[in-house]
């Protein structure tokens, strides 16, 4: 099970650097590993979310050429937090999952910005929020909705019915 | 359970912070990067290769899609251009035919009427063309019908808006003609098989050879003198018979005629010089 989760993280990171750039809309690309992290966290809980987020973030750090550990940390936190939500919100419903994904993307972006600020990241938070974090959060929300619907469809085809 | 969960989170956070710290403070960025590279480089290399492979496959796929759509567009363009080319060629040929016909009409020292072929009869019983000129246009029976290459036939029937032209190779067609070179007279007749023969050529007019041009004789009142009828392709010598017979290749390929001139008047002089070898 853990291997399959790590393979998903690996596959998500691989897709992020190969296929996902072609899904760019107005220069904004979705963050597929992050969406996978969030969905896995909702299904498997905070531990799985944390580990998958850490692995996916580490791979993205490694392939992105930035500081190794920034995305690993922010995504591990985001995956952990997303995994804690099922006990507190009705996260099984897509109408909760999708805004949740948008907000989580924004939160993860802010955490990442905070970490990078420690290492003198030059961009301002306002510009980063408007140009990068919010557009990507919205895109993540839409793509996450599509992923949730695809997962639901797969479950319905298998004769089971669950929102996650 | 809860302790394990937070212990995991703490471990992950510490690992990340350790990595960050090592990179920025622990002996400088170069040493930190070296440490990280030990664990990450093989994975990164694998990832980069997989990335390249996936990207290459993706680009191949998108190229294939582009090429496919371009191919379809080019095929459609090609088809359209071929149709256009055919239309242009058709118009060019028509233009060429009409120019030749117009030139002949201008040269002809008699009144002519242009007509367009609107029907054909090519069965063994009758060989004819239908021209879109009729009684209202002043067409009369027995009018000679010509093109720039020579004689097509004569008007056999006149209707209100069209006329039937009996072709030279109709089995009931007879045209008085002479061998242009030797002036040997005879009759050009159609045959049931579609051929044309020059008959009743007196033996004392021998010397007719394949390639000789046969033109209308002008005897009688139907055809002006000198209109090309055909060329001799073979001589049939019946031995002791009084006459020679020659097989002709008609000057006009009736199957390809599309526009004609109907001669509405009769010239006195020989018109042979008006027909050039190529029409």
């Amino acid at each position: 099970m853990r291997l399959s989760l790590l393979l998903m993280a690996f596959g998500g990171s691989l897709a992020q650097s190969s296929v996902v750039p072609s899904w760019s809309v107005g220069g904004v690309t979705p963050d597929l590993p992050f969406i996978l992290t969030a969905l896995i966290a909702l299904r498997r809980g905070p531990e799985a979310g944390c580990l998958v987020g850490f692995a996916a973030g580490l791979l993205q750090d490694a392939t992105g050429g930035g500081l190794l550990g920034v995305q690993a940390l922010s995504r591990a936190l985001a995956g952990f937090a997303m995994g804690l939500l099922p006990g507190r919100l009705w996260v099984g419903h897509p109408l909760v999952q999708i805004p949740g994904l948008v907000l989580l993307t924004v939160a993860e972006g802010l955490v990442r910005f905070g970490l990078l600020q420690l290492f003198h990241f030059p961009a301002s938070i306002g510009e980063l929020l408007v140009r990068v974090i919010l557009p990507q959060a919205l895109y993540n929300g839409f793509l996450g909705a599509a992923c949730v619907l695809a997962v639901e469809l797969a479950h319905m085809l298998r004769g089971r019915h669950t929102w996650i | 359970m809860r302790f394990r969960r937070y212990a995991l989170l703490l471990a992950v956070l510490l690992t990340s912070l350790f990595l960050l710290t090592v990179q920025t403070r622990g002996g400088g960025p170069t040493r930190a990067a070296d440490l990280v590279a030990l664990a990450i480089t093989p994975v990164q290399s694998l990832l980069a290769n997989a990335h390249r492979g996936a990207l290459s496959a993706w680009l191949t796929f998108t190229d294939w899609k582009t090429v496919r759509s371009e191919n379809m567009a080019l095929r459609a363009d090609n088809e359209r251009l071929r149709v256009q080319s055919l239309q242009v060629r058709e118009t060019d040929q028509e233009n060429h035919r009409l120019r030749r016909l117009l030139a002949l009409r201008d040269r002809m020292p008699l009144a002519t009427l242009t007509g367009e072929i609107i029907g054909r009869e090519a069965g063994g019983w009758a060989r004819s063309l239908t021209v879109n000129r009729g009684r209202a246009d002043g067409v009369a029976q027995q009018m000679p019908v010509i093109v720039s290459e020579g004689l097509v036939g004569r008007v056999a029937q006149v209707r209100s808006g069209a006329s039937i032209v009996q072709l030279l190779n109709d089995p009931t067609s007879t045209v008085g003609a002479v061998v242009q070179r030797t002036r040997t007279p005879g009759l050009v007749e159609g045959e049931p098989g579609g051929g044309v023969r020059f008959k009743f050529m007196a033996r004392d007019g021998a010397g007719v050879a394949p390639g000789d041009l046969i033109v209308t004789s002008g005897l009688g009142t139907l055809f002006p003198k000198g209109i090309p009828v055909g060329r001799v392709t073979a001589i049939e010598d019946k031995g002791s018979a009084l006459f020679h017979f020659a097989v002709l290749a008609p000057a006009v390929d009736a199957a390809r005629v599309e526009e004609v001139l109907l001669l509405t008047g009769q010239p006195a002089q020989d018109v042979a010089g008006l027909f050039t070898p190529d029409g």
Side-chain angles (χ1 to χ4, degrees):
Chain A
M1 182 61 76
R2 283 177 186 170
L3 183 66
S4 67
L5 291 179
L6 287 175
L7 281 176
M8 278 181 78
F10 181 80
S13 298
L14 181 65
Q16 182 68 25
S17 57
S18 55
V19 180
V20 174
S22 64
W23 303 348
S24 168
V25 176
V28 181
T29 50
D31 194 336
L32 191 62
F34 186 77
I35 294 169
L36 286 174
T37 301
L39 293 179
I40 287 167
L42 286 173
R43 283 181 67 86
R44 306 284 180 200
E47 292 95 335
C50 182
L51 275 176
V52 169
F54 177 74
L58 199 63
L59 284 170
Q60 282 185 273
D61 281 335
T63 53
L67 279 173
L68 202 73
V70 173
Q71 288 189 79
L73 194 149
S74 64
R75 275 153 203 240
L77 277 175
F80 190 85
M82 197 71 169
L84 289 176
L85 288 181
R88 293 164 177 78
L89 289 173
W90 187 38
V91 294
H93 200 282
L95 289 177
V96 177
Q97 288 177 358
I98 294 158
L101 195 55
V102 173
L103 290 175
L104 198 68
T105 308
V106 174
E108 191 268 344
L110 292 175
V111 169
R112 201 194 309 184
F113 176 76
L115 276 172
L116 289 171
Q117 276 295 96
L118 291 175
F119 304 104
H120 309 293
F121 186 65
S124 70
I125 181 64
E127 192 183 3
L128 204 66
L129 204 62
V130 171
R131 290 183 186 275
V132 179
I133 298 174
L134 281 176
Q136 191 174 54
L138 290 172
Y139 203 156
N140 278 357
F142 281 110
L143 192 63
C147 288
V148 168
L149 286 175
V151 170
E152 283 305 310
L153 190 66
H155 277 295
M156 283 171 71
L157 290 174
R158 286 169 59 188
R160 293 194 318 192
H161 185 75
T162 171
W163 283 110
I164 309 175
Chain B
M1 182 70 178
R2 181 167 287 192
F3 171 75
R4 190 184 149 206
R5 175 182 296 174
Y6 285 102
L8 176 70
L9 178 64
L10 190 64
V12 164
L13 291 180
L14 286 177
T15 308
S16 301
L17 288 172
F18 171 73
L19 286 171
L20 287 168
T21 308
V22 166
Q23 283 177 93
T24 53
R25 292 185 183 175
T30 311
R31 278 179 61 190
D34 287 347
L35 274 177
V36 174
L38 277 176
I40 293 300
T41 301
V43 180
Q44 196 174 6
S45 176
L46 186 71
L47 198 66
N49 285 336
H51 177 201
R52 267 197 293 274
L55 198 62
S56 170
W58 179 253
L59 288 175
T60 304
F61 173 69
T62 52
D63 279 354
W64 174 78
K65 274 178 72 178
T66 309
V67 166
R68 188 165 176 265
S69 61
E70 275 181 1
N71 189 30
M72 285 172 72
L74 288 172
R75 275 175 191 269
D77 271 0
N78 188 31
E79 195 61 33
R80 185 174 51 77
L81 290 172
R82 279 175 66 184
V83 170
Q84 273 184 1
S85 165
L86 286 173
Q87 285 172 339
V88 167
R89 198 185 307 163
E90 182 65 24
T91 307
D92 187 50
Q93 284 176 351
E94 186 182 18
N95 188 26
H96 186 60
R97 286 196 311 269
L98 290 173
R99 276 176 186 276
R100 287 162 65 182
L101 208 58
L102 189 62
L104 177 66
R105 183 177 142 174
D106 290 344
R107 290 194 301 265
M108 273 288 170
L110 68 163
T112 57
L113 185 66
T114 54
E116 201 174 310
I117 305 305
I118 56 172
R120 292 175 199 274
E121 176 61 58
W125 299 98
R127 292 187 175 83
S128 62
L129 301 175
T130 307
V131 185
N132 68 341
R133 297 290 185 187
R135 200 172 294 119
D137 302 296
V139 179
Q141 272 199 333
Q142 306 299 340
M143 272 186 176
V145 179
I146 62 170
V147 292
S148 53
E149 289 87 359
L151 185 67
V152 175
R154 77 183 95 190
V155 174
Q157 290 177 38
V158 184
R159 296 170 184 164
S160 60
S163 303
I164 309 298
V165 178
Q166 182 190 51
L167 296 175
L168 276 181
N169 60 352
D170 184 274
T172 60
S173 165
T174 305
V175 176
V178 295
V179 180
Q180 191 183 42
R181 183 172 59 84
T182 63
R183 310 312 294 179
T184 308
L187 287 177
V188 174
E189 289 183 357
E191 292 192 321
V196 180
R197 281 176 187 254
F198 185 50
K199 296 182 172 177
F200 310 118
M201 182 171 50
R203 287 185 69 86
D204 57 5
V208 176
D212 275 341
L213 182 66
I214 308 297
V215 297
T216 51
S217 63
L219 299 173
T221 55
L222 285 182
F223 299 102
K225 189 177 179 182
I227 301 174
V229 175
R231 282 192 184 276
V232 176
T233 57
I235 307 290
E236 286 185 1
D237 189 347
K238 301 285 187 185
S240 60
L242 289 173
F243 304 104
H244 272 318
F245 298 86
V247 180
L248 300 187
V252 178
D253 183 0
R256 299 175 64 181
V257 169
E258 294 193 38
E259 297 89 15
V260 293
L261 282 181
L262 293 96
L263 302 185
T264 55
Q266 283 289 347
Q269 75 268 32
D270 191 329
V271 295
L274 303 178
F275 294 87
T276 50
D278 63 346

